Amino acid sequence: MKQNYDFDIGKIKNLSQEEKVSRQKNLDLFYEYGFPSKQVEDWKFTDLNLILNKNFDNISNEVNFESSKEFKAIENFEHNFIFLTNGKIISTNFGHEEKSKILIEDYNQEEVKNIDPSNTLALLNSALSFGGFSLEIAKGYKFKKPLIVYNCFSQDLKNKILNNKNSIKLNEGSELTLIDYSDNNTQNNFIKNTVDTIFLNKNAVLKNVLIQNSKSNGHFYKYIKGSLEGDSNYENYILSSGLKLNKIEIEINLNKDNSSCSIYSALNLLEDQHQEIKTRINHNSPNCKSYQKIKNVLNDKSKGIYQGKIFVEKIAQKTDAYQLSKALIVSDNAEFDAKPELEIYADDVRCSHGSTSGSIDSDAVHYLMTRGISKKESVKLLINGFLNEVLEKITHNELKIFLEKILEKQINGH
Amino acid sequence: MLKITNLKATINEKLILKGLDLDIKPGEVHAIMGPNGSGKSTLANVLSGKNGYEIEGEISFNGMNLNDLKIEERAQKGIFLAFQYPLEIPGVNTNIFLKTSLNSVRKARGEKELDTLTFLKLIKEKAKELNIDEKFLSRQLNVGFSGGEKKKNEILQMKLLEPKLSILDETDSGLDIDALRIVADGVNSYKNKENAFLIITHYQRLLDYIKPDFIHVLSAGKIVKTGNADLGEQLEKTGYANLS
Ligand SMILES: Nc1ncnc2c1ncn2[C@@H]1O[C@H](COP(=O)(O)OP(=O)(O)OP(=O)(O)O)[C@@H](O)[C@H]1O
Ligand SMILES: [Mg+2]
């Protein structure tokens, strides 16, 4: 069954005729394949086509980008911000920083190129992309405070799809903590399809945090493509529990010596939430490090998936790659699937991977209850203990406290 | 305070407590001694509400039927069990656990919950009394604690929750001489006319510090002898062989 797509490039503003033609090509290609179903290997645990069929009668890209909406900045946490509605910049504030070191503007739609024809969502994104931001940090500039990207949404998104592209470029030696903060309090079903392109030049350091602030019926797909130069470091923390459907795909290219990346995830999935994390770390150069720790707690009828691939090129000697997935399955009706993959062409490498899943330790629950704590609270303490570990390595105290609070909120079901 | 009448407890189809009677009044210290496997920890577990036991007989605690109370309610109403083998709970921060525990109990008692700062001040004081290094409080609960440190942590929880009936299951085993004295001092300073203790032990040395009003001998699931503090010394000499 095919749902009623109502995709129209004519509805996207300010496109040149050339642009329209090239976008139409992407759209035509998309139509050939449609949304991916489980027959597509990359989507075998997330049958997007089926899920969308079930939840949408019709999907359209006619979105009102003008409707700005008030938003409430997070309190007691000093930060800069970019405020987006439906993916488009409404306002920015870099009050803690030297403004001359920061370039922020709307994403240049002329740069919209197709990324990967085997990924039909990327095709669709390239056809329909609108809004988005480009951020560039000058050489050597280290952000004093984190930058929060507030992703807010208008109330009229029922049966709509948003397609955005963002670009984040850190020049040599610059540093930034970027918090992607989705605040979706609408109960509307809508789809968000985002592509983030990240470039870290030599010695640059980017901490990238993904947060979902409230429970929502959103169906989100995010593709992060990172390219790292020598001695640069990318760290990603995924704390995005709460969406009905969420798939985060991260591709990191360690292109030069001594670049490194870490991906940490702490998810507490409730009800019928479905979240997939799919990673691909390409070790393209010697002496690079990658580290992944993925923790999922599955409650109710939720489903969690981790597909993680480590790819090591022939020249990438002395690669140090680590990957671990741990799941805590709280309910008999919940499900977790893990598919770790190693593809290694170099011979002098250290690669390890593992995946475990288990249930709540009933003796531990008993112990906590004998101290006056209710069963429900005891289980929450154990879940928190299980997930909290992924924040262990954060040395910045304010950030850590902030993320601990976010995690606690997610454990309490928002 | 606690009145047990003809208590029988079965687990995995094995009858372990075979008709046990015990009467503990406020202000009293009772000791239970007895051979390995006689059912001492089983009694403690049953009182704490551990699942898996089939129970017959009556247990009344301050006028309530204990069997009607959930595990956490027993704790909230003032029963505390210091475990023979305190569990290691990875990931759970000791301070957060202690604060959650105290506030759950306070809430159930209709008292105001403590904010973090007040709590930290309180817990530091209590830890100091027991000569527990503050560093332990920020570690994961019991994880990597030595045997003695775990036992001290149990007593810290007791002092924090201020129970009416404290059941100490072999709290003395694993403690060095200094720690034993500190723990005993901790118990003695908490002891008053309103609360009571049930102390399970194999050794007289603890009873030298905490003087019991009664000593019971538990053997094969029944109390076979009850005496005063002198019974302990007598048992030290003769063992359990000629009792039954
Ligand atoms: N879950 C169980 N299933 C079967 N038998 C059990 C179970 N738990 C305890 N028992 C048995 O019940 C008996 C009493 O055990 P309990 O732990 O109460 O002894 P105890 O008096 O505390 O001994 P110790 O002095 O060694 O601590 C033992 O024979 C033990 O093997
Ligand atoms: Mg025992």
Side-chain angles (χ1 to χ4, degrees):
Chain A
M1 197 176 74
K2 202 171 174 184
Q3 63 275 86
N4 196 0
Y5 306 147
D6 181 11
F7 299 150
D8 182 358
I9 285 167
K11 284 173 186 152
I12 304 165
K13 287 191 181 140
N14 305 327
L15 290 183
S16 67
Q17 197 50 41
E18 269 166 274
E19 262 302 298
K20 282 186 183 166
V21 172
S22 99
R23 283 176 177 242
Q24 189 62 46
K25 277 188 197 146
N26 281 321
L27 188 59
D28 291 342
L29 258 176
F30 168 80
Y31 276 132
E32 251 177 61
Y33 305 104
F35 286 108
S37 70
K38 66 173 183 228
Q39 272 78 36
V40 179
E41 183 63 20
D42 284 354
W43 291 82
K44 70 186 220 182
F45 298 109
T46 301
D47 194 329
L48 186 66
N49 194 46
L50 187 79
I51 294 168
L52 296 184
N53 270 334
K54 262 193 218 159
N55 294 288
F56 294 84
D57 329 316
N58 136 313
I59 304 171
S60 133
N61 72 319
E62 188 174 5
V63 173
N64 179 8
F65 288 95
E66 308 308 321
S67 72
S68 95
K69 135 184 167 211
E70 290 292 302
F71 83 105
K72 246 182 89 192
I74 293 163
E75 285 167 9
N76 302 320
F77 180 67
E78 287 186 308
H79 64 277
N80 307 284
F81 68 78
I82 299 175
F83 166 40
L84 307 172
T85 292
N86 298 343
K88 192 172 182 309
I89 300 177
I90 303 292
S91 61
T92 63
N93 185 326
F94 289 90
H96 297 282
E97 313 300 332
E98 286 173 42
K99 291 183 190 67
S100 63
K101 305 287 185 183
I102 300 157
L103 187 71
I104 174 79
E105 56 191 16
D106 288 322
Y107 190 89
N108 181 358
Q109 299 303 323
E110 284 183 22
E111 276 179 30
V112 170
K113 298 261 157 51
N114 180 22
I115 293 181
D116 175 5
S118 72
N119 181 337
T120 58
L121 279 163
L123 278 175
L124 188 64
N125 186 288
S126 292
L128 302 178
S129 156
F130 190 78
F133 65 85
S134 292
L135 175 69
E136 185 172 345
I137 315 299
K139 187 172 166 180
Y141 187 70
K142 297 179 166 63
F143 262 61
K144 296 185 183 65
K145 299 287 169 192
L147 167 62
I148 298 186
V149 178
Y150 289 102
N151 274 287
C152 298
F153 304 94
S154 59
Q155 299 293 329
D156 54 0
L157 290 181
K158 193 172 180 347
N159 289 334
K160 305 284 183 190
I161 183 166
L162 296 171
N163 292 277
N164 314 120
K165 286 184 196 294
N166 304 309
S167 148
I168 296 139
K169 183 172 175 187
L170 269 63
N171 284 309
E172 197 175 329
S174 60
E175 288 181 15
L176 170 68
T177 296
L178 182 78
I179 302 176
D180 189 321
Y181 187 90
S182 276
D183 195 6
N184 173 21
N185 49 18
T186 74
Q187 287 313 303
N188 294 332
N189 271 9
F190 69 93
I191 305 166
K192 184 170 189 278
N193 178 15
T194 314
V195 176
D196 284 359
T197 310
I198 293 171
F199 177 76
L200 303 189
N201 213 328
K202 277 186 274 179
N203 271 311
V205 176
L206 178 64
K207 273 197 179 62
N208 194 186
V209 185
L210 307 181
I211 292 173
Q212 182 63 33
N213 182 45
S214 42
K215 242 192 327 201
S216 98
N217 284 327
H219 292 64
F220 284 19
Y221 172 72
K222 192 180 188 67
Y223 189 95
I224 297 176
K225 180 176 175 156
S227 304
L228 274 65
E229 293 294 298
D231 297 295
S232 64
N233 174 247
Y234 176 73
E235 248 176 55
N236 190 329
Y237 291 87
I238 304 172
L239 304 171
S240 55
S241 321
L243 281 161
K244 182 133 184 197
L245 174 81
N246 197 19
K247 177 159 172 165
I248 296 169
E249 228 174 304
I250 303 175
E251 175 195 327
I252 302 295
N253 294 287
L254 301 167
N255 290 334
K256 292 283 159 58
D257 281 34
N258 291 314
S259 54
S260 56
C261 71
S262 317
I263 296 169
Y264 299 92
S265 155
L267 296 177
N268 181 54
L269 304 186
L270 303 169
E271 296 158 14
D272 59 349
Q273 293 165 9
H274 178 132
Q275 291 225 21
E276 171 167 346
I277 294 171
K278 184 169 181 297
T279 64
R280 181 183 168 112
I281 313 293
N282 294 319
H283 282 261
N284 298 329
S285 198
N287 295 309
C288 296
K289 261 191 190 173
S290 68
Y291 185 94
Q292 299 179 66
K293 186 175 269 181
I294 306 295
K295 289 197 154 189
N296 275 277
V297 177
L298 295 311
N299 303 275
D300 308 323
K301 290 185 292 180
S302 62
K303 182 170 171 175
I305 299 125
Y306 171 59
Q307 298 198 69
K309 181 163 186 169
I310 298 171
F311 179 90
V312 182
E313 275 287 7
K314 202 165 171 195
I315 60 154
Q317 301 294 5
K318 306 278 182 212
T319 284
D320 185 352
Y322 177 89
Q323 185 196 72
L324 178 68
S325 157
K326 280 186 160 187
L328 190 61
I329 300 177
V330 180
S331 144
D332 291 342
N333 299 317
E335 182 183 329
F336 183 73
D337 300 294
K339 187 182 154 203
E341 257 185 294
L342 299 176
E343 195 176 330
I344 302 173
Y345 297 101
D347 44 34
D348 183 13
V349 301
R350 222 173 69 187
C351 286
S352 59
H353 68 116
S355 143
T356 62
S357 61
S359 48
I360 292 264
D361 177 358
S362 59
D363 287 337
V365 175
H366 174 75
Y367 184 91
L368 298 174
M369 288 172 77
T370 64
R371 299 313 184 234
I373 305 169
S374 72
K375 186 166 184 177
K376 203 171 146 195
E377 281 304 313
S378 299
V379 169
K380 272 188 199 165
L381 267 180
L382 294 173
I383 289 176
N384 196 316
F386 175 76
L387 293 178
N388 220 310
E389 196 210 334
V390 306
L391 304 179
E392 220 167 49
K393 295 222 173 87
I394 298 180
T395 46
H396 190 285
N397 206 30
E398 267 169 67
L399 181 65
K400 191 165 180 165
I401 291 170
F402 174 69
L403 295 181
E404 279 172 351
K405 272 192 202 141
I406 295 284
L407 189 59
E408 207 176 307
K409 215 175 142 195
Q410 304 200 340
I411 289 166
N412 285 319
H414 289 286
Chain B
M1 174 182 296
L2 180 77
K3 194 166 167 50
I4 303 178
T5 322
N6 198 21
L7 174 66
K8 292 179 184 160
T10 307
I11 189 158
N12 292 334
E13 289 167 19
K14 193 173 164 206
L15 182 65
I16 293 170
L17 299 179
K18 302 172 179 165
L20 183 145
D21 297 295
L22 193 62
D23 191 357
I24 300 178
K25 298 200 162 60
E28 292 179 350
V29 176
H30 290 241
I32 292 193
M33 303 182 81
N36 295 130
S38 55
K40 302 181 298 296
S41 292
T42 302
L43 173 64
N45 286 338
V46 166
L47 293 175
S48 80
K50 193 168 167 95
N51 297 329
Y53 296 97
E54 256 172 70
I55 311 280
E56 271 178 66
E58 261 167 49
I59 311 172
S60 104
F61 177 68
N62 284 336
M64 295 168 281
N65 181 354
L66 203 61
N67 294 331
D68 294 344
L69 299 181
K70 291 191 229 152
I71 302 167
E72 71 271 28
E73 288 170 339
R74 297 176 192 216
Q76 291 160 358
K77 298 224 164 10
I79 292 184
F80 180 86
L81 168 58
F83 285 89
Q84 182 174 0
Y85 304 108
L87 207 64
E88 297 195 4
I89 307 189
V92 175
N93 173 283
T94 304
N95 257 332
I96 290 175
F97 155 69
L98 292 173
K99 179 171 169 245
T100 311
S101 165
L102 178 62
N103 278 338
S104 303
V105 169
R106 288 181 69 96
K107 197 171 163 195
R109 288 177 188 162
E111 294 164 7
K112 208 173 141 259
E113 293 179 47
L114 298 188
D115 60 59
T116 306
L117 282 180
T118 321
F119 167 79
L120 285 176
K121 201 166 155 266
L122 177 71
I123 195 68
K124 277 181 190 168
E125 249 166 55
K126 305 253 176 203
K128 205 166 165 203
E129 284 169 23
L130 289 166
N131 207 8
I132 294 174
D133 192 327
E134 269 178 40
K135 273 185 283 184
F136 284 95
L137 303 174
S138 48
R139 279 168 57 175
Q140 301 178 36
L141 184 53
N142 289 332
V143 176
F145 286 29
S146 76
E149 287 160 356
K150 285 179 186 165
K151 295 297 180 73
K152 279 213 243 173
N153 194 15
E154 296 287 289
I155 297 304
L156 175 65
Q157 293 168 41
M158 179 192 90
K159 295 202 73 167
L160 187 67
L161 298 181
E162 302 182 332
K164 296 200 176 85
L165 174 66
S166 304
I167 306 161
L168 311 186
D169 191 356
E170 293 196 28
T171 299
D172 53 336
S173 47
L175 291 180
D176 66 41
I177 303 160
D178 292 338
L180 182 70
R181 210 190 51 244
I182 291 163
V183 163
D185 288 347
V187 169
N188 285 329
S189 69
Y190 177 55
K191 213 173 90 179
N192 61 35
K193 287 202 299 285
E194 263 95 63
N195 57 32
F197 289 85
L198 181 61
I199 296 176
I200 298 169
T201 181
H202 287 294
Y203 306 107
Q204 173 61 30
R205 54 173 202 166
L206 177 66
L207 304 178
D208 290 340
Y209 289 111
I210 310 169
K211 221 170 152 36
D213 301 296
F214 301 94
I215 295 182
H216 310 277
V217 178
L218 185 65
S219 180
K222 273 186 164 175
I223 288 176
V224 293
K225 194 173 174 81
T226 295
N228 63 14
D230 299 335
L231 180 58
E233 275 160 50
Q234 193 189 318
L235 287 169
E236 196 101 309
K237 290 189 196 112
T238 60
Y240 301 114
N242 25 7
L243 295 167
S244 59

